[in-house]
Every structure is written in structure tokens, then in C-alpha cells.
Amino acid sequence: MGACCLRDPINGIPRHLREACWFHYSGAEKYLANNPGLYSMLVYREMQDRQMGFTKERNKILEFIDVLERENILFNEKSGMSSAPSGDNLDDNPTSPSSPVAPIVTPHVHSLRRLLVAFAYYSWPHPDDSRTPPKQCSYRIGYCQSLNFVAGLILLIFLPNPNDPPNVNSPLSPTSVKSSRPASSTVFRNPEEIEEETRLLAEERAFWMLVATVERLLPPEMYGSNLEGAQVAQEVLWKWLLGERGKRFGVGKMADWVETMEGGEPTGIRKSRSRRGGGAGTSSGNGMPPLSLVTTSWFMTVFINVLPIETVLRVWDCFTYQGEKVLMRVTLTLLKIHEDEVLACNDTTDAWRLIKEIPPRMIDAHKLMDICFKPRVNLSLFDSESSSSLLHIGSPSMSRQSSDAHLHDSDDDYDGRSSVGSIHPRSTVGGALQIQNDPLRKWGSSTLSSGGKVSGGGKVPKRGVGSVSTKMIEHYRALALQERRSK
């Protein structure tokens, strides 16, 4: 594994290393090593169950598969994919709108169906205990629509791409596939056979990557039957991280705005928040609907089909290494970047639409991740009185003094790594220094005169949202669950 990938995944993992890095750091590699052959067994369970006479009335898993095929027409073999339309039904003009168009089915579609069917058998108990797999999901899922997006992206990364240069060290290379079979059986193997076996090996790795994503990286029970895990994650985000700790992450004004808009009161009127009372993301019914209705899909799809694809991949590079804290951190960063626009909205409809339209505009993945993982510092780099403060980043005097300061540990974060160097001037424009990776130039001018003065105001503004630690999330999740059980 490349050392650069472990050292700084926020800068992006190279495409040819992405599959291996995701597979290793997510924990999927250990899942596969501990459960060899399980995926192949799960893939054939559907065919065996149908041959044994199981129906969706007797087997809930087959009902999930039926829903899966209804939502994805390309999965349904009865949709006419295998048979061409008769000549009597064809229009003379092939470009006519009335001409039937046969759906295009690629091997990727078949792989996606096999992956989701195998996961349904993995995540739901079989009615026949003797056919229960030796390992099952940590909670019941069966099928959830958001899994389509997650499994699809994983397959796009894990399935071999014929346009990529060959990698002889990859476990999916032709030489590796050949060496896994007896020499006598590889002499007469045709390329199609090797390609199919390579695809099945890639599917197996993708399946365990999906399992690791659901069981290890995402919040607990995110896809549970009543979606309680997804609801609790939103309460942690809106009520606790933003509602109670918004100032710590640089979104205090946003927290006040959300509370007043969802409460149906004029903006600019700040209500006092009780630690145990209603928080951001819980509407009183008179104002804007809770914004958790928007961000729930962000979490459940891990920003797939929400952010631009290049930005999604950069988020996943960090997500596979750090897990759910990245979801919280990216969401807070999106709100922080567009804070001025959001605060200017006084109409609930416009505000709701604006929040929904924020992610697709983040086409600059580097700037998003730069702000997301910058520490929250407020330094005057070039004033003689405070120039020495640059040497004390991370010192006790810089930490927040509060009753729950122990929750602010960064755990396995690399949040502050190279944080000092990242705000050093790197380039000169017209005799002035330019701050590298200016966060969308939101906080005024970032140009420094050659004399060391900040032309935009004299101070380097606070940057980034700071560290969102696992301890903090677990603490607030426990509070959210406690409140739910007490109701």
C-alpha cells in the first residue's frame, strides 16, 4: 500500500490505487480473508431457492428481490431484454418515438444485480435455518433503495476497466487469475473465460467493500427497517453538532438561522437553546420543514448523485479511511461555505431550495476538502505582536476550555497534519503573495502585499470546521438515543 495514500488521503488517491486503498482501509480486506467463498454461495442462493419452490410469501428475501427488479427495469428478465420485438410491431421509421427501444444491458448491470441479491441474503435471515449463511449482517436490511447508489459506485471502482493500464501486482490481473487454477486447466482457457473469472473476483471484493461500508463506516443501523439509525445521525448533526456546538465549527450564525426559520419566527431573532430542548433540524410545524429531510439522503447515499462525481470520489477517499465523521464534516463544510447566501434568505421556500442546490455546485473538490480538513485557527501571521503564535498551534492555550473538552480529541484524525504549511504563501502575483487554496475567496481578499500586510483586512480569518471526533459523535448519539427512549 502506498505510503502517500495513508499519509494524506484528503489530497486524493490516484485512480490506479483507489480500489486497493478503499479495500484495505475500509476493513473489507479482513472481511474477505475471514469469509472466503461466502459471496459465491450467496449469489447462487436465489436460483436454489426458486428451484426448491420457495416463493416471496414464504421467503422475505425473494420479496426484496421482487422490489429490486420493479425499481430497476434492467434487472427484470421479463422486461423484454432477451427477446427482440416482432416485425409487426416495428415502426417503419426507426427514429420514431413509437419505435420500441431495447434496453442496453451491460455486464456491469448483471454484476450490480448479483451484488444486491447477495447482500439481501447476507442481511436478512433465511426462513430455513439450515440455509442461513455462516456470517450475517450486524442488523437486518434486506434491500434499501440507497444501496443501489452505494453498490453502483463501488462496482465502478472495483470492476476492471479495459482503458486502465495493466497492473501485474493486482489480484485481478490475468496472471493472478491464471495462477489460482491448476496449470492443466489454464492451457486451453479462452480470454472470455479469464475475463468472466476476473469479473467474479472483482464482484467478491466489491461485495465485501459494501459490507464494510454498511457495518463499519456508516452510522449504526443506517439502513434498518425503520431507518432509526439515519434519523439518529440527523439528530446528532442538526441538534448537537450544529445546534449546540455550531460556534465551535464556525457555523454558529447558521445554527441560529436554522432555528429561527424552522421555528417560523423572523430571522435575526435569536432564541435560547436548551441542551435538552428542541434543536436545529426539528421543526415546530409553523416554519420551514426540517433540513434533516434534505441531508438524510446525503448520508444514506454517501453523497453519491448529490455531489459531482469527482468530488464524491474525493469524499470517499476520506470516508473509507475515517468513516461517518467525514459525512458530518463535509455537511458542516457545505453549510459553512455557503453561509452568507443562506443567511440572506428570508423566504422558507427559497432557503429550502438553496440548501438542496448547494452540493451540485461543489465542482472544485480540492477546495471543498481543503476547507473541510483545515483546523480552526485565527492568526495574524505578519503582525510583530502575534507572529510567535504561529509556533503554538495545537498548544493547550489554543484548545477550547469547556466541560466536555475531552470530546474534542481527534482520535485517528489527520486533521491538523501539515496545517501550518498549508496556509503559507506559495505564489507571487504582481509583487504580492497569494494564499494557497483560498477557500472560495469567501472571506475577503487573500492577497498579501510584499510588505507582509493582508490587503483584505490584516488578519487571516478562521478556516475550516475543525475536527469532528468519533468520541464526540458517539457521545451525542448516546444522548439522542436516550431522549428517544425516554419519550
Side-chain angles (χ1 to χ4, degrees):
M1 198 64 56
C4 64
C5 299
L6 175 61
R7 182 175 65 250
D8 203 6
I10 66 173
N11 286 336
I13 299 174
R15 189 179 69 170
H16 67 284
L17 296 175
R18 181 166 277 140
E19 185 266 352
C21 289
W22 288 13
F23 190 67
H24 175 75
Y25 294 123
S26 66
E29 191 173 41
K30 292 183 179 179
Y31 276 105
L32 175 58
N34 295 332
N35 303 277
L38 181 58
Y39 173 71
S40 300
M41 181 183 72
L42 295 173
V43 164
Y44 291 104
R45 276 291 161 85
E46 178 192 6
M47 180 182 66
Q48 295 169 353
D49 281 356
R50 296 189 187 279
Q51 290 176 349
M52 295 174 64
F54 281 98
T55 62
K56 63 182 180 180
E57 288 76 18
R58 295 178 53 199
N59 189 345
K60 183 75 172 179
I61 302 175
L62 296 180
E63 181 180 345
F64 290 134
I65 296 175
D66 186 57
V67 174
L68 174 67
E69 292 184 341
R70 287 202 305 266
E71 294 184 353
N72 302 272
I73 188 173
L74 295 182
F75 291 167
N76 191 348
E77 296 179 356
K78 299 177 183 179
S79 61
M81 295 184 299
S82 58
S83 59
S86 62
D88 296 338
N89 296 330
L90 291 176
D91 196 285
D92 294 336
N93 181 9
T95 61
S96 171
S98 61
S99 287
V101 179
I104 300 176
V105 181
T106 68
H108 284 60
V109 173
H110 296 305
S111 296
L112 179 59
R113 187 189 186 279
R114 284 195 292 265
L115 197 69
L116 293 173
V117 169
F119 188 81
Y121 276 93
Y122 173 79
S123 61
W124 195 267
H126 198 281
D128 185 353
D129 293 339
S130 64
R131 297 178 60 76
T132 300
K135 184 186 184 319
Q136 289 187 290
C137 187
S138 56
Y139 63 98
R140 294 186 178 187
I141 300 176
Y143 171 71
C144 180
Q145 191 176 35
S146 299
L147 290 173
N148 288 320
F149 299 95
V150 178
L153 177 70
I154 292 174
L155 280 174
L156 288 177
I157 299 300
F158 278 66
L159 289 180
N161 188 342
N163 297 324
D164 288 342
N167 183 1
V168 295
N169 296 322
S170 170
L172 303 179
S173 65
T175 56
S176 300
V177 174
K178 287 182 181 180
S179 63
S180 65
R181 297 170 62 94
S184 59
S185 64
T186 60
V187 174
F188 302 104
R189 297 176 69 203
N190 56 49
E192 289 77 12
E193 183 182 358
I194 297 176
E195 181 180 355
E196 180 63 19
E197 185 169 348
T198 302
R199 175 175 292 276
L200 291 177
L201 290 175
E203 283 182 24
E204 184 177 32
R205 291 167 65 88
F207 170 78
W208 289 114
M209 178 69 206
L210 177 62
V211 171
T213 300
V214 172
E215 293 189 2
R216 296 187 71 250
L217 302 178
L218 284 168
E221 300 196 22
M222 173 66 80
Y223 303 117
S225 57
N226 57 358
L227 297 181
E228 183 181 20
Q231 297 170 18
V232 171
Q234 295 305 307
E235 291 178 16
V236 171
L237 170 66
W238 288 103
K239 179 176 180 179
W240 299 104
L241 294 182
L242 188 135
E244 294 293 332
R245 309 296 294 167
K247 288 185 178 180
R248 181 185 185 276
F249 302 113
V251 287
K253 294 181 180 179
M254 174 70 72
D256 294 337
W257 177 89
V258 171
E259 188 175 21
T260 55
M261 292 295 284
E262 291 184 353
E265 296 190 14
T267 57
I269 301 178
R270 186 184 186 280
K271 299 189 299 181
S272 61
R273 287 192 296 267
S274 171
R275 190 175 181 80
R276 294 292 185 265
T282 56
S283 176
S284 64
N286 299 323
M288 181 175 62
L291 292 173
S292 58
L293 298 177
V294 176
T295 54
T296 296
S297 64
W298 297 5
F299 279 40
M300 295 190 69
T301 62
V302 197
F303 292 101
I304 300 169
N305 215 30
V306 176
L307 290 167
I309 183 60
E310 180 60 31
T311 309
V312 168
L313 294 176
R314 292 287 298 278
V315 170
W316 270 70
D317 288 345
C318 301
F319 170 71
T320 54
Y321 187 54
Q322 288 196 337
E324 68 170 310
K325 69 174 77 173
V326 173
L327 304 182
M328 304 288 183
R329 201 164 187 168
V330 170
T331 302
L332 291 172
T333 302
L334 290 172
L335 297 175
K336 180 180 178 66
I337 290 174
H338 297 86
E339 184 178 50
D340 291 343
E341 296 179 69
V342 175
L343 295 180
C345 285
N346 296 323
D347 181 78
T348 57
T349 303
D350 292 341
W352 178 273
R353 185 185 302 113
L354 175 60
I355 297 293
K356 292 185 65 175
E357 293 175 353
I358 282 177
R361 296 157 55 182
M362 294 307 305
I363 59 176
D364 194 331
H366 181 72
K367 285 187 176 181
L368 173 65
M369 303 311 294
D370 179 63
I371 302 171
C372 185
F373 285 90
K374 278 294 194 302
R376 283 193 53 74
V377 296
N378 189 10
L379 303 176
S380 180
L381 295 180
F382 302 102
D383 287 347
S384 59
E385 296 179 344
S386 59
S387 59
S388 61
S389 63
L390 184 61
L391 303 176
H392 300 288
I393 297 179
S395 65
S397 61
M398 296 289 290
S399 63
R400 180 183 179 90
Q401 302 296 326
S402 64
S403 59
D404 55 347
H406 64 282
L407 298 176
H408 303 161
D409 299 334
S410 60
D411 301 329
D412 54 345
D413 263 352
Y414 41 77
D415 303 344
R417 191 162 298 171
S418 302
S419 59
V420 176
S422 63
I423 55 176
H424 278 183
R426 292 293 184 88
S427 61
T428 303
V429 181
L433 297 176
Q434 189 78 14
I435 292 180
Q436 183 192 21
N437 301 331
D438 177 22
L440 308 185
R441 301 186 181 276
K442 174 191 170 192
W443 294 282
S445 174
S446 62
T447 303
L448 311 178
S449 67
S450 57
K453 298 296 183 180
V454 182
S455 58
K459 287 184 180 290
V460 176
K462 292 183 178 181
R463 299 172 57 133
V465 297
S467 172
V468 180
S469 70
T470 301
K471 289 182 180 179
M472 181 187 299
I473 295 174
E474 290 177 350
H475 174 73
Y476 291 143
R477 180 182 291 116
L479 293 178
L481 289 173
Q482 182 180 357
E483 288 189 356
R484 281 175 162 262
R485 292 164 184 162
S486 64
K487 293 181 180 179

